[in-house]
């Protein structure tokens, strides 16, 4: 990979990292600020209230996916990525200054809700813009490897959030964290977003987008009409996302709460388990992405779905009785190794399904819909099962979603050798492969 390609990957990933830092610190610090906005009820009820607002943010993601996907296809990937980080910075500032229940009653919760809606808009477009940018910016034979940095950066954002939480837990009293310390990560996120805004203003556009070599009319780029012409691919994105997004949010954003609220581990131990597991998880992404460049995308997706279908229930049951750091870490790593089969390559798989003129929207809108329905509600559904006294039902729910995606993975075509410039066109000449054409062009 050339220097310019690495630069594009770095800038795109850095912004993605800050976006997801802001997105995930809401979840990881929820146990500290839940009482500030929802003072009544037991601990689970308070977490359900904050999880409900967390889920509402996901329901804005289809709107953000449509709006920013349209911007990405009409104005360029750079324009969409710059706009997403601006929205995220604004939302982080709002959460940092939101008044508590003691000061403004439920007015503070209203500010929290507005901030989450802005975050939903931002992340709804960020995923597609980042997935499209990283896929298009890479050499044809390295798309799986390059696009895997989307989840490297997403996970890095969460690692930084959890790392900051560990530092604050060890330098501040529990009372101070519940009182005002939880605001610190949102201030950090806003400052980080400002830095990335500057970086993205100077980033390079992808050559694939600049060439514009597809058959989408200029006036229809980024429109729902153009997307409808590829409705089969759009429905495929929803279906293949379903199992992956539920599993991912289960073992990342919800894991810390599950270990502390259900398994009975101290908050500090639960946070450290998540932190260590996510570091290993981030390192696995490029390895799996490079593997997909060699053997294809479908083998990894199928491995993930089979593992999640049959291992989720026993892993979650054993996690509940882990009892200490090392057993909890081992089980968490096992779960995340399985999830890697999805996370490492799902970005490029979706981008490889659509032509350039509708690629950002084609990835953004159906993915955001799937996330709103399954990913964003995962934590709330988990807490609902717990509150109803049938917590194990959630494990079966996750396994069922993975089983549905498994059927899709088995039926879908391989996308590794697709030429991004030829998607939607007539097939290449018999026997002509992507790597052969790429070599001839070089």
């Amino acid at each position: 990979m050339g220097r310019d390609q690495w630069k594009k990957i770095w800038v795109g990933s850095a912004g993605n990292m800050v976006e997801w830092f802001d997105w995930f610190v809401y979840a990881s610090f929820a146990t500290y600020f839940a009482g500030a906005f929802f003072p009544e009820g037991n601990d689970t009820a308070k977490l359900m209230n904050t999880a409900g607002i967390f889920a509402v943010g996901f329901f804005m993601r289809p709107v953000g996916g449509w709006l920013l996907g349209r911007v990405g296809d009409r104005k360029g990937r750079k324009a969409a990525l710059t706009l997403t980080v601006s929205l995220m910075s604004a939302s982080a500032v709002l959460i940092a200054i939101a008044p508590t229940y003691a000061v403004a009653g439920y007015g503070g919760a209203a500010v929290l809700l507005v901030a989450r809606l802005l975050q939903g808009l931002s992340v709804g477009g960020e995923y597609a813009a980042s997935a499209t940018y990283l896929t298009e910016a890479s050499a044809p034979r390295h798309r799986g490897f390059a696009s895997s940095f989307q989840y490297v950066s997403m996970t890095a954002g969460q690692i930084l959030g959890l790392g900051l939480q560990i530092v604050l837990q060890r330098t501040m009293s529990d009372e101070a964290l519940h009182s005002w310390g939880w605001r610190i990560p949102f201030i950090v996120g806003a400052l980080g977003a400002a830095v990335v805004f500057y970086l993205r203003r100077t980033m390079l556009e992808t050559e694939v987008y600049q060439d514009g070599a597809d058959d989408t009319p200029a006036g229809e780029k980024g429109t729902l009409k153009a997307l409808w012409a590829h409705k089969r691919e759009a429905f495929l994105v929803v279906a293949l996302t379903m199992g992956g997004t539920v599993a991912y949010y289960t073992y990342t954003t919800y894991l810390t709460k599950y270990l502390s609220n259900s398994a009975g581990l101290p908050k500090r131990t639960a946070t450290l388990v998540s932190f260590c597991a996510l570091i290993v998880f981030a390192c696995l992404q490029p390895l799996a992405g490079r593997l997909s460049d060699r053997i294809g995308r479908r083998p990894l997706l199928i491995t993930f779905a089979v593992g999640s279908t049959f291992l989720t229930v026993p892993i979650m049951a054993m996690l509940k009785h882990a009892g200490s750091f090392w057993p909890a870490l081992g089980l968490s790593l096992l779960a995340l190794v399985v999830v890697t089969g999805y996370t490492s390559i799902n970005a490029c798989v979706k981008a490889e399904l659509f032509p350039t003129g509708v690629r950002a929207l084609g990835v953004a809108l159906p993915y955001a819909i799937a996330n709103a329905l399954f990913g964003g509600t995962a934590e709330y559904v988990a807490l609902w099962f717990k509150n109803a006294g049938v917590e194990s039902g959630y494990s079966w729910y996750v396994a069922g979603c993975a089983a549905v995606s498994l059927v899709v993975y088995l039926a879908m075509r391989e996308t590794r050798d697709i030429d991004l410039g030829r998607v939607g066109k007539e097939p290449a000449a018999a026997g002509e492969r992507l790597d052969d054409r790429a070599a001839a062009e070089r």
Side-chain angles (χ1 to χ4, degrees), residues 63-100:
V63 179
W66 166 74
L67 178 63
L68 294 166
R70 183 181 175 89
V71 172
D73 286 327
R74 285 181 169 267
K75 304 296 183 182
R77 318 314 188 199
K78 174 182 174 180
L81 287 169
T82 303
L83 181 56
T84 59
V85 78
S86 301
L87 291 173
M88 185 61 75
S89 179
S91 65
V93 170
L94 282 178
I95 297 177
I97 65 174
T100 63

Side-chain angles (χ1 to χ4, degrees), residues 7 39 127 149 200 208 220 249 266 272 334 357-358 414 417 422 430:
K7 181 179 180 181
Y127 174 88
F149 282 88
R200 284 188 166 176
V208 172
E220 294 183 7
Y249 282 100
L272 187 60
L334 174 60
V358 74
E414 178 58 62
D417 293 327
R422 298 181 67 94

Side-chain angles (χ1 to χ4, degrees), residues 28-371:
S28 60
F29 278 85
T31 53
Y32 291 103
F33 66 73
F37 298 103
F38 304 101
E40 299 176 359
N42 58 36
D43 288 342
T44 299
K46 293 176 185 177
L47 286 174
M48 284 185 70
N49 285 327
T50 54
I53 291 181
F54 183 79
V56 167
F58 274 84
F59 284 99
M60 285 301 290
R61 289 176 69 161
V63 179
W66 166 74
L67 178 63
L68 294 166
R70 183 181 175 89
V71 172
D73 286 327
R74 285 181 169 267
K75 304 296 183 182
R77 318 314 188 199
K78 174 182 174 180
L81 287 169
T82 303
L83 181 56
T84 59
V85 78
S86 301
L87 291 173
M88 185 61 75
S89 179
S91 65
V93 170
L94 282 178
I95 297 177
I97 65 174
T100 63
Y101 180 85
V103 174
Y106 285 106
V111 173
L112 194 66
L113 176 62
V114 171
R116 287 298 296 176
L117 293 176
L118 286 177
Q119 283 189 338
L121 280 173
S122 175
V123 177
E126 170 67 23
Y127 174 88
S130 177
T132 302
Y133 188 86
L134 290 173
T135 302
E136 291 182 349
S138 60
R141 290 178 295 176
H142 300 294
R143 288 203 300 255
F145 174 75
S147 65
S148 71
F149 282 88
Q150 182 180 47
Y151 270 83
V152 172
S153 57
M154 286 172 61
T155 307
Q158 188 173 7
I159 289 171
L160 290 174
L162 288 172
L164 179 57
Q165 186 175 21
I166 291 171
V167 170
L168 294 178
Q169 286 173 338
R170 283 159 173 72
T171 57
M172 298 180 66
S173 66
D174 198 58
E175 293 76 14
L177 274 173
H178 281 86
S179 176
W180 60 272
W182 58 266
R183 298 182 187 272
I184 294 175
F186 297 103
I187 296 172
V188 172
L191 294 174
V195 173
V196 173
F197 175 80
Y198 171 76
L199 291 175
R200 284 188 166 176
R201 287 187 63 190
T202 62
M203 71 192 301
L204 302 173
E205 188 58 85
T206 67
E207 294 180 6
V208 172
Y209 179 80
Q210 289 177 326
D211 291 343
D214 69 64
D215 298 329
T216 307
E220 294 183 7
K221 289 185 177 181
T223 64
L224 294 177
K225 178 181 178 181
L227 179 59
W228 187 249
H230 302 276
K231 54 184 177 295
R232 180 182 179 279
E233 288 78 8
F235 286 118
L236 180 60
V237 169
V238 173
L240 68 86
T241 300
M242 179 181 177
T245 190
V246 172
Y248 175 74
Y249 282 100
T250 296
Y251 295 119
T252 55
T253 58
Y254 180 61
L255 180 64
T256 304
K257 295 184 185 65
Y258 183 75
L259 292 175
S260 62
N261 202 28
S262 296
L265 294 179
K267 288 182 181 178
R268 292 186 178 187
T269 302
T271 302
L272 187 60
V273 168
S274 294
F275 180 78
C276 294
L278 287 172
I279 289 177
V280 177
F281 179 66
C283 294
L284 290 174
Q285 303 309 301
L287 299 178
R290 187 173 290 282
L291 179 62
S292 79
D293 287 326
R294 291 180 175 272
I295 68 173
R297 322 297 189 209
R298 288 179 69 249
L300 272 70
L301 291 172
I302 291 171
T303 300
F304 150 72
V306 171
S308 289
T309 300
F310 295 103
L311 294 179
T312 296
V313 174
I315 286 176
M316 293 293 284
M318 288 187 286
L319 273 173
K320 188 172 183 178
H321 300 94
S324 61
F325 172 82
W326 288 109
L329 177 61
L331 290 166
S332 300
L333 286 175
L334 174 60
L336 289 173
V337 167
V338 172
V339 174
T340 295
Y342 166 81
T343 56
S344 60
I345 59 171
N346 81 95
C348 66
V349 170
K350 294 163 188 172
E352 288 165 344
L353 294 173
F354 298 94
T356 305
V358 74
R359 183 168 293 131
L361 180 62
V363 175
L365 186 56
Y367 170 81
I369 290 173
N371 257 267

